[in-house]
Amino acid sequence: YENALNVEAHYRTTGPEIWKQTEGKVDYFFAAFGTCGTITGVGKYLKERNPDVKIIGIEPASRSHKLSGIKKISNLPEQHRPKILDYSLIDEIIPVEDEQALDAGVQLARSDGIMVGPTTGALLHAALRTGVAASGTAVVISPDDAMKYVSTYTRHLDDR
């Protein structure tokens, strides 16, 4: 949360990789608010190349949530804000409920056989929700896989 090298690593590697793979045609970048190194480093890199790229941060809808590694940053007092997060890069913050994240993760596994964790589910849910009214190329960072969340998904499906 305070290591500037975290931001630098994503600025020097992840950002250029995204730019290259999309041939500079990225319109939206979705990342969760975890340590905030990814969203800040990649966001800075992409915005320097195209200020119109929308950087969209995903956070849990509530402070008490089950989305491991993702933080709710809205309305945090200044002293609790991640030091490495550059708020000026963020175009939109989308809150996601636990159930929405878990549903999106389960749906991706069922439809495409891709096993992701609930944080990736949250990102996917937000990207799909945004995509209904948008066009262009969106990049979603997948920060987790489903292996350590099997019991979470099982409980979620059992509760239905």
Side-chain angles (χ1 to χ4, degrees), residues 42-95:
V42 173
K44 180 179 176 191
Y45 184 90
L46 295 177
K47 288 272 192 186
E48 285 176 356
R49 274 130 197 94
N50 178 2
D52 293 330
V53 173
K54 300 296 180 214
I55 308 301
I56 302 173
I58 311 308
E59 68 178 6
S62 70
R63 295 246 179 264
S64 59
H65 60 86
K66 297 176 184 157
L67 303 177
S68 179
I70 183 173
K71 311 290 183 260
K72 182 165 180 65
I73 65 158
S74 293
N75 303 318
L76 278 178
E78 186 68 36
Q79 68 269 23
H80 295 297
R81 291 182 177 185
K83 304 263 187 284
I84 62 174
L85 177 59
D86 182 347
Y87 284 84
S88 72
L89 297 169
I90 310 303
D91 292 293
E92 185 177 357
I93 296 174
I94 298 177

Side-chain angles (χ1 to χ4, degrees), residues 7 10-31 38-56 89 91 137-141:
V7 174
H10 289 288
Y11 180 83
R12 290 181 182 260
T13 62
T14 316
E17 181 179 344
I18 290 168
W19 190 256
K20 181 179 177 186
Q21 287 188 19
T22 63
E23 298 176 346
K25 296 179 183 143
V26 59
D27 299 293
Y28 301 89
F29 176 70
F30 292 83
T38 304
I39 198 165
T40 300
V42 173
K44 180 179 176 191
Y45 184 90
L46 295 177
K47 288 272 192 186
E48 285 176 356
R49 274 130 197 94
N50 178 2
D52 293 330
V53 173
K54 300 296 180 214
I55 308 301
I56 302 173
L89 297 169
D91 292 293
T137 300
V139 175
V140 176
I141 292 289

Side-chain angles (χ1 to χ4, degrees), residues 111-122:
S111 66
D112 296 302
I114 301 172
M115 304 288 290
V116 299
T119 299
T120 300

Side-chain angles (χ1 to χ4, degrees), residues 147-158:
M147 290 306 142
K148 62 183 176 183
Y149 301 105
V150 172
S151 61
T152 301
Y153 280 127
T154 301
R155 280 191 304 276
H156 175 68
L157 293 171
D158 287 347

